[in-house]
Amino acid sequence: VRLTVTDPVYVADVFVKPQLELNIAEADVQTVNASRQTRAVVLEVSVASHKSAGPTLVSQRVEFTVPPGSHYTSLKLPIRNAVPWSPDNPHLYVLDARLADGELTIDTFQTRFGMRSFTVEDGNFVLNGNRIYIKGAFWEGQYPNTLAHPRDLEIVRREIRMAKRAGFNMLRPWRMPPIPAIIDL
């Protein structure tokens, strides 16, 4: 559980829809205005590679007014030479959104995403244009002393590596929702 204190106008969610074949990440940004007054804001969005603290790959800025309630903004962010996400190369990008009123930052939001395409063709699962056979297993993390939370994330890393060496490319958490750190791994 966490409690987040925000300005009355804030970024509630960012959903990224990768379009790998076009080298575009489409970001749908949901802004909420919890006040009764319409407010003019500036949204700045940038994307960089998650693996390095390298340069920003793309950034966009849009100005708009947010009436009371939810407001959606869609941005098409071109990513040149996008690195496709796959189980063997889980390359991620990070999107940073900054919401401002003039020079004052009123909210920030960060999310990670992978550039990939999933389809089903002739009964086969296709990832990034290549047929992939999904070999998955239930994964019930039962950890000493805590049951659902490992005392050390290295235990989880080791389990994931062992599953990968055994030929699995998917693990489905079972019974207990894993903590966010486990999902990240």
Side-chain angles (χ1 to χ4, degrees), residues 143-147 149 151:
Y143 301 106
N145 303 327
T146 63
L147 293 180
H149 298 267
R151 69 177 186 277

Side-chain angles (χ1 to χ4, degrees), residues 64-170:
F64 56 94
T65 57
V66 184
S70 289
H71 177 82
Y72 291 88
T73 305
S74 184
L75 303 167
K76 291 189 186 277
L77 305 160
I79 299 176
R80 284 210 244 131
N81 303 316
V83 178
W85 179 96
S86 73
D88 291 326
N89 184 26
H91 184 86
L92 295 175
Y93 293 91
V94 63
L95 180 146
D96 284 301
R98 176 183 172 266
L99 195 62
D101 184 347
E103 295 299 314
L104 176 67
T105 298
I106 57 176
D107 197 24
T108 60
F109 191 99
Q110 187 177 79
T111 190
R112 292 177 304 175
F113 66 95
M115 291 295 290
R116 79 286 185 270
S117 66
F118 297 120
T119 58
V120 175
E121 297 172 10
D122 299 323
N124 296 305
F125 187 72
V126 178
L127 175 64
N128 305 330
N130 298 310
R131 182 175 168 221
I132 184 171
Y133 181 76
I134 301 296
K135 186 176 179 185
F138 282 123
W139 180 29
E140 183 178 11
Q142 294 288 326
Y143 301 106
N145 303 327
T146 63
L147 293 180
H149 298 267
R151 69 177 186 277
D152 182 346
L153 287 177
E154 190 54 40
I155 294 170
V156 180
R157 280 188 193 92
R158 190 175 37 219
E159 287 178 346
I160 293 169
R161 284 187 198 112
M162 286 172 31
K164 197 162 181 151
R165 280 194 300 270
F168 293 100
N169 57 12
M170 183 192 81

Side-chain angles (χ1 to χ4, degrees), residues 3-68:
L3 176 65
T4 305
V5 178
T6 67
D7 187 271
V9 178
Y10 60 94
V11 177
D13 191 32
V14 177
F15 184 77
V16 180
K17 297 181 282 189
Q19 299 173 19
L20 181 61
E21 62 284 349
L22 301 174
N23 283 323
I24 290 174
E26 185 175 346
D28 291 332
V29 181
Q30 179 188 15
T31 308
V32 171
N33 182 350
S35 75
R36 295 183 179 156
Q37 304 294 321
T38 297
R39 190 161 166 194
V41 295
V42 174
L43 174 65
E44 296 174 346
V45 173
S46 63
V47 174
S49 176
H50 185 263
K51 284 189 175 182
S52 68
T56 297
L57 301 172
V58 61
S59 63
Q60 285 188 18
R61 178 187 163 143
V62 64
E63 298 179 30
F64 56 94
T65 57
V66 184

